Amino acid sequence: MNNYLVKKIVNLIAPIIQYSGISRIIKPIYGGRGHIIMLHRVTPLVNKTRVHNHQSLEITKDHLHSLIRYFNKHLYVTITLDELHNGLLNQNLPDKFVVYTFDDGYSDNYHIAYPIFKKYNIPFSIYITTCFPDRNVLLWWYALEDLLLSNDSLSHKDYPFLNPIKCKSQHQKEISFNRIRNELLKMNRPEIISFFEAFKINLNSYAEKMVLTWDEIIQLSKDPLVTIGAHTKNHLALAHLSEDECYNEIINSKKEIEDRIGLEVKHFSYPFGKSSQVGTREFNIANEIGFSTSTTTRLANVFSEHRDHQQALPRISVNSETSESILRANINGFFPMIRNKFKKVVTE
């Protein structure tokens, strides 16, 4: 079953779970000590057709306000990644805590999200993929969305996996996005560029309007509320790289950010951080490089047992379809319990 259909089902059953009281029953077991929230973009509300994947990367300003107010209302302590690391080591974390993190380095993190966090005077982190501010990023996921939205079918003699692909209905576009995405994740940079050039799409134009500049990152780094972390150089799926390529992707992003902001970068996030995309090899590399913490995209809450697994920390994704019912079911541990087959701490 594809992610699109899974999320539709989750939307339907989350209110039932909330009102049944099931998630409150399992919270003492699977709710953990606290939660690392994974965000990507905060955008204005735009009423236009989208491919679902990008709704999975975005929330609105109002949604971010509601998220912060929810945790404040329920007396969570907002902590930094440094405080999370030290709290796990010393086993003195607050009774209920939340950590806010952003991946990649989109410009709206500075122009929209940052003022909101300043208003509430609470900390947050941004993991920077250095090809974003270097303007070398290939934002192919947005280009792929535009390609699917502007076509009813796709085919090309050089890409047999298209074969052709039908993308007339919204449902077909969702399925096609995931199918093509899986193929693109196997490609190197020149291959990705060639794929989109075959459809007369210039990937460079996306970076100019969507990503942070180094000047903005430097300004953010000067604020004690903001932690700047690393997120590789090119946002590649690390499991598909050789060990040397993986090491260089990580260490070179760390070094470049440190050179730019004049501060040590102690925290890291894996691109495409599911269990099939990152594992023991990558955890060991991050540990060897010396990061205090590294976060995945695996759905789970943070437990005291993560003290010994700080290179494999889970997060709770929040996106445009994360209702309060879904949020509650996640932080209470219901959906993580199902996803992880009743394991609390997933480290494979």
Side-chain angles (χ1 to χ4, degrees), residues 287-307:
N287 189 60
E288 177 186 345
I289 288 172
F291 289 108
S292 297
T293 70
S294 299
T295 54
T296 69
T297 62
R298 296 173 189 180
L299 176 65
N301 297 307
V302 179
F303 294 85
S304 297
E305 290 87 342
H306 280 107
R307 178 185 189 277

Side-chain angles (χ1 to χ4, degrees), residues 128-166:
I128 300 296
T129 307
T130 52
C131 68
F132 274 53
D134 285 343
R135 292 299 192 268
N136 293 323
V137 60
L138 303 179
L139 293 175
W140 56 260
W141 41 97
Y142 282 101
L144 179 57
E145 178 187 35
D146 289 344
L147 180 63
L148 290 169
L149 290 175
S150 59
N151 289 277
D152 291 338
S153 67
L154 291 173
S155 62
H156 196 282
K157 62 182 178 61
D158 294 334
Y159 300 103
F161 61 84
L162 294 179
N163 195 31
I165 277 185
K166 296 180 179 179

Side-chain angles (χ1 to χ4, degrees), residues 164-208:
I165 277 185
K166 296 180 179 179
C167 48
K168 185 173 184 178
S169 69
Q170 183 68 22
H171 180 60
Q172 288 175 334
K173 293 182 191 297
E174 302 293 348
I175 294 174
S176 298
F177 184 95
N178 287 318
R179 180 176 171 184
I180 299 172
R181 175 184 182 272
N182 289 338
E183 295 297 328
L184 290 171
L185 286 174
K186 302 172 187 176
M187 298 182 186
N188 59 33
R189 181 184 179 89
E191 290 170 339
I192 293 171
I193 293 172
S194 295
F195 175 83
F196 285 100
E197 284 181 343
F199 295 97
K200 302 186 184 326
I201 292 177
N202 178 8
L203 289 177
N204 292 332
S205 62
Y206 288 82
E208 291 301 321

Side-chain angles (χ1 to χ4, degrees), residues 248-295:
N248 288 331
E249 272 291 311
I250 299 172
I251 191 66
N252 289 334
S253 68
K254 171 178 163 63
K255 288 179 177 178
E256 182 172 5
I257 297 168
E258 289 175 338
D259 288 344
R260 294 279 189 169
I261 68 175
L263 297 169
E264 183 183 4
V265 172
K266 297 185 287 185
H267 305 281
F268 177 68
S269 175
Y270 306 95
F272 309 107
K274 295 180 181 179
S275 57
S276 61
Q277 298 159 335
V278 66
T280 302
R281 184 192 70 168
E282 291 73 35
F283 300 155
N284 289 339
I285 290 173
N287 189 60
E288 177 186 345
I289 288 172
F291 289 108
S292 297
T293 70
S294 299
T295 54

